[in-house]
Amino acid sequence: TLRRAARRRGEEVTFAALRQGVADGKPWAVASLRESGRALAAAVTGVCELVRPALVLIGGGFAAAMPELVAMVAERTAALGRPGHPLPPVRPARLGGLSSLHGAVLLARGLPD
């Protein structure tokens, strides 16, 4: 997303600058986030077609700090559903930015010594 934003803006973009750009409605920032949201929605759709989850949760630090992303993914994912095969709702992970860490801890606990 930062690379997309940098290409559109014509200079390097930090996360803070992207966040502020989205908050201010800057076209380069919003378009970059929307493009990432579309890509993530396509991935979500593919996974949902294979495993049919009841719910999709998006977490991690980036998504927690950029709540617009989850809304964009949810909107695009809903639009990609096939007639008679609706896709599950997309929501932010309850643990927000800590969801990635929590998942890593759970995975590590399950690994053999």
Side-chain angles (χ1 to χ4, degrees):
T1 303
L2 293 176
R3 282 192 298 263
R4 288 181 175 111
R7 281 193 301 272
R8 284 187 169 91
R9 191 175 188 195
E11 62 182 313
E12 287 298 312
V13 174
T14 64
F15 179 78
L18 175 67
R19 177 74 210 115
Q20 190 62 51
V22 169
D24 293 343
K26 300 288 185 185
W28 60 267
V30 174
S32 300
L33 188 63
R34 192 171 307 283
E35 187 177 346
S36 292
R38 283 193 309 264
L40 187 52
V44 164
T45 300
V47 169
C48 288
E49 288 287 331
L50 293 172
V51 297
R52 299 278 181 205
L55 177 66
V56 173
L57 298 175
I58 298 179
F62 188 89
M66 197 75 68
E68 299 88 351
L69 177 64
V70 176
M72 289 175 180
V73 173
E75 180 182 327
R76 185 67 186 142
T77 299
L80 292 172
R82 296 182 294 129
H85 294 68
L87 294 170
V90 176
R91 298 201 177 106
R94 200 172 285 170
L95 293 176
L98 295 177
S99 60
S100 299
L101 177 60
H102 184 70
V105 168
L106 290 175
L107 178 63
R109 284 182 178 163
L111 294 176
D113 292 334

